[in-house]
């Protein structure tokens, strides 16, 4: 059994590799859910289905937001409690994760199923794309409870010192999803419903595998009597810490509504399909950065709890450097080989031609996005919810929404270009804000 105390004693570089590599593999594999669905749907159902998937994604992000509300906050609190060697509280955190996820995911499922079509229309669906979006999201919502438990338990495994087990759970789910997708979409001719069903079944099998681990009494944190009652202090603190990623995801959904509607207004369903292709390509690399963040989180959280601030900073710097390299790679690919990247998703020449220039515009700022992502996660990892919340909202609310509305008015002849340019402009402003906040915070520790 891996001991959580190694987070405060082992060399930081070795720890980051040990914890981040499984996280990177797991998050990259996790990103294949969206990528594989998009590839099979694009080739099997056409550009209209891709547009429908783009419309459905903000709703999926809302579901993920409630999952991160519980999972990220609880796993961060778990890492801190393990650093303080408070194992009794750590066990209760596990029980609270399950109970809270069941409650919140059930509420999201019920509300989503009742008002599914109005929500999708608000997110930018047209009469052409609503059918695809509805068919996909209906099945995803029915499996929402298992999805939340799956992601919540994976977060707990990482903070317990089991990043490899977390990685295996993700790889199991993704492998099954990849195998089922073509069977359901092509062989059974289920279209987008088949893609959604493959996702839900794969996550269900992964949850069964995770439960086996948490039923082992030899684990430091495991299922046992007395952990299932919601504890006010654990619930409040977990949700407070998790409020940042929750608001970030909600803000992202709100922004997606505006972006989708602006794209539909100025470019129609083809612009939505274009945005979907670019999003899914950059999402793979963003998930690698999230894997780095997952590796950094328990190291930073533990050493913050143990007051070993120099180790905490060392982990942050190394993670930020790696994240910059990763996002710089997608920037290079998008600028130099856009057509090659786009052909992964669609054989339609019209969609390929429409996507090349927007891809180059959106990829021009990717180099600095990694730093901004890591900085936001750093504040979350040390429990500074207020700072993390503000930083999470800057790109999406403070900058992107006004820019997405105003910049298109500057492009009188082709306002769709203004929508595309608003995205890299907001990335740049958000990265500057993150750098300023980081310098101020590090001076407080006197380790800048």
């Amino acid at each position: 059994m891996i001991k959580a105390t190694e987070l405060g004693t082992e060399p930081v570089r070795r720890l980051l590799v040990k914890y981040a590599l499984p996280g990177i593999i797991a998050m990259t594999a996790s990103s294949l859910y969206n990528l594989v669905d998009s590839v099979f749907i694009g080739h099997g159902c056409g550009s209209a289905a891709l547009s429908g998937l783009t419309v459905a994604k903000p709703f999926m992000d809302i579901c993920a937001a409630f999952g991160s509300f519980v999972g990220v906050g609880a796993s961060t609190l778990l890492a801190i409690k393990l650093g303080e060697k408070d194992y009794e509280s750590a066990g209760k955190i596990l029980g609270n994760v399950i109970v809270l996820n069941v409650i919140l995911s059930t509420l999201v499922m019920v509300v989503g199923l009742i008002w599914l079509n109005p929500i999708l229309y608000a997110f930018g669906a047209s009469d052409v794309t609503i059918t695809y979006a509805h068919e996909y999201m209906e099945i995803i919502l029915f499996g929402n409870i298992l999805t939340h438990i799956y992601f919540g338990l994976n977060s707990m495994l990482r903070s317990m010192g089991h990043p490899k087990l977390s990685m295996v759970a993700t790889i199991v789910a993704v492998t099954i999803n990849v195998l089922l997708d073509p069977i359901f979409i092509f062989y059974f001719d289920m279209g987008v419903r088949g893609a959604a069903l493959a996702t839900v079944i794969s996550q269900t099998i992964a949850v069964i595998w995770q439960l086996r681990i948490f039923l082992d009494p030899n684990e430091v944190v495991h299922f046992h009597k007395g952990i299932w009652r919601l504890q006010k202090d654990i619930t409040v603190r977990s949700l407070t810490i998790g409020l940042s990623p929750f608001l970030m995801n909600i803000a992202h959904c709100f922004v997606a509504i505006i972006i989708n509607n602006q794209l539909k207004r100025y470019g129609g369903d083809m612009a939505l399909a274009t945005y979907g292709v670019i999003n899914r390509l950059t999402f793979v690399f963003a998930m690698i950065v999230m894997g780095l963040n997952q590796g950094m989180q328990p190291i930073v959280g533990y050493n913050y709890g143990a007051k070993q601030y120099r180790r905490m900073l060392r982990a942050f710097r190394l993670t930020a450097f790696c994240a910059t390299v990763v996002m710089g790679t997608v920037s290079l690919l998008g600028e130099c080989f856009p057509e090659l990247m786009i052909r992964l998703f669609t054989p339609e020449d019209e969609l390929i031609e429409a996507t090349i220039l927007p891809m180059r515009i959106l990829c021009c700022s990717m180099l600095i996005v990694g730093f901004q992502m890591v900085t936001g996660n750093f504040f979350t990892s040390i429990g500074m919810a207020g700072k993390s919340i503000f930083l999470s909202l800057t790109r999406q609310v403070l900058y992107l929404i006004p820019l997405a509305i105003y910049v298109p008015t500057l492009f009188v002849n082709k306002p769709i270009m203004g929508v595309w340019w608003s995205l890299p402009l907001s990335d740049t402003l958000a990265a500057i804000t993150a750098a300023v906040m980081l310098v101020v915070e590090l001076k407080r520790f006197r380790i800048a």
Side-chain angles (χ1 to χ4, degrees):
M1 181 178 65
I2 301 174
K3 297 181 179 178
T5 51
E6 72 178 3
L7 294 168
T9 57
E10 291 290 320
V12 171
R13 185 184 296 271
R14 185 184 305 167
L15 276 175
L16 188 59
V17 171
K18 184 176 184 178
Y19 279 72
L21 187 58
I24 290 169
I25 295 173
M27 295 305 290
T28 303
S30 180
S31 69
L32 291 176
Y33 280 122
N34 286 319
L35 183 65
V36 170
D37 283 352
S38 298
V39 169
F40 283 120
I41 288 172
H43 285 272
C45 306
S47 59
L50 278 176
S51 298
L53 206 60
T54 302
V55 169
K57 190 176 185 304
F59 202 179
M60 293 178 64
D61 289 340
I62 287 179
C63 298
F66 282 95
S68 65
F69 196 12
V70 177
V72 174
S75 63
T76 299
L77 183 59
L78 178 68
I80 294 173
K81 290 300 179 183
L82 289 175
E84 296 171 350
K85 297 181 173 55
D86 184 356
Y87 302 119
E88 182 180 354
S89 294
K92 292 178 180 178
I93 291 170
L94 174 62
N96 277 239
V97 164
I98 299 295
V99 176
L100 283 172
N101 268 322
V102 169
I103 293 172
L104 289 176
S105 61
T106 300
L107 288 173
V108 172
M109 178 185 68
V110 172
V111 172
L113 289 172
I114 291 174
W115 289 289
L116 183 53
N117 272 10
I119 291 171
L120 292 174
Y121 274 119
F123 283 10
S126 66
D127 292 337
V128 174
T129 60
I130 187 65
T131 300
Y132 297 107
H134 181 104
E135 290 179 350
Y136 189 84
M137 279 308 305
E138 187 175 42
I139 292 177
I140 292 296
L141 284 169
F142 275 119
N144 197 43
I145 295 175
L146 288 168
T147 298
H148 279 212
I149 293 175
Y150 162 68
F151 285 115
L153 291 181
N154 250 15
S155 296
M156 301 298 282
L157 282 173
R158 285 188 294 271
S159 290
M160 286 166 55
H162 290 312
K164 289 183 179 179
L165 293 180
S166 174
M167 175 190 71
V168 171
T170 303
I171 291 176
V172 167
V174 171
T175 301
I176 295 171
N177 188 59
V178 170
L179 293 174
L180 292 179
D181 255 340
I183 295 174
F184 289 155
I185 294 173
F186 297 108
Y187 185 76
F188 290 113
D189 196 24
M190 295 178 66
V192 294
R193 283 186 179 275
L197 186 60
T199 297
V200 172
I201 291 174
S202 65
Q203 290 176 351
T204 301
I205 294 172
V207 167
I208 295 171
W209 187 85
Q210 291 169 324
L211 292 176
R212 180 187 61 83
I213 299 171
F214 285 98
L215 287 169
D216 185 355
N218 293 319
E219 292 292 339
V220 174
V221 181
H222 61 274
F223 294 141
H224 60 273
K225 292 181 179 179
I227 68 172
W228 303 107
R229 180 184 173 187
L230 286 179
Q231 304 257 325
K232 182 178 179 181
D233 57 334
I234 293 176
T235 299
V236 171
R237 197 168 176 200
S238 293
L239 294 181
T240 299
I241 296 173
L243 191 60
S244 171
F246 173 73
L247 290 178
M248 180 175 65
N249 284 330
I250 290 296
H252 177 73
C253 297
F254 183 57
V255 169
I257 296 172
I258 295 175
I259 295 295
N260 283 353
N261 280 282
Q262 289 289 83
L263 289 171
K264 186 175 73 171
R265 177 184 178 185
Y266 296 120
D269 290 337
M270 183 61 69
L272 283 170
T274 291
Y275 188 48
V277 168
I278 299 171
N279 249 350
R280 279 155 182 78
L281 175 64
T282 57
F283 183 68
V284 173
F285 289 85
M287 291 294 272
I288 295 175
V289 175
M290 290 177 69
L292 286 166
N293 278 338
Q294 287 181 358
M296 179 188 75
Q297 182 177 320
I299 303 171
V300 168
Y302 184 99
N303 285 284
Y304 177 74
K307 301 187 186 303
Q308 299 186 93
Y309 299 130
R310 290 192 179 277
R311 286 176 59 82
M312 175 189 74
L313 177 61
R314 204 172 302 133
F316 166 77
R317 283 176 170 165
L318 185 57
T319 307
F321 172 77
C322 294
T324 301
V325 172
V326 169
M327 297 310 291
T329 301
V330 70
S331 181
L332 184 65
L333 290 173
E335 296 295 337
C336 299
F337 310 103
E339 183 175 346
L340 181 62
M341 299 297 102
I342 300 164
R343 285 195 180 276
L344 293 174
F345 298 88
T346 179
E348 298 180 18
D349 291 334
E350 183 182 2
L351 179 55
I352 293 170
E353 185 64 29
T355 307
I356 290 176
L357 181 56
M359 176 172 283
R360 284 183 167 141
I361 292 173
L362 268 61
C363 286
C364 71
S365 64
M366 287 293 112
L367 183 66
I368 57 178
V369 169
F371 166 77
Q372 198 265 349
M373 292 174 65
V374 173
T375 303
N377 189 73
F378 170 76
F379 286 117
T380 299
S381 299
I382 60 178
M384 294 186 174
K387 291 183 174 63
S388 186
I389 290 168
F390 175 78
L391 189 55
S392 298
L393 296 178
T394 52
R395 176 188 181 270
Q396 316 227 29
V397 177
L398 185 62
Y399 300 135
L400 184 51
I401 291 177
L403 288 171
I405 294 172
Y406 173 70
V407 176
T409 65
L410 302 178
F411 292 78
V412 179
N413 295 325
K414 204 170 184 180
I416 186 65
M417 297 303 297
V419 181
W420 298 129
W421 277 111
S422 66
L423 293 159
L425 286 173
S426 65
D427 287 336
T428 302
L429 292 172
I432 293 172
T433 303
V436 171
M437 289 182 63
L438 180 65
V439 169
V440 171
E441 187 56 43
L442 293 183
K443 286 182 178 178
R444 188 178 72 85
F445 290 106
R446 298 181 179 178
I447 53 176

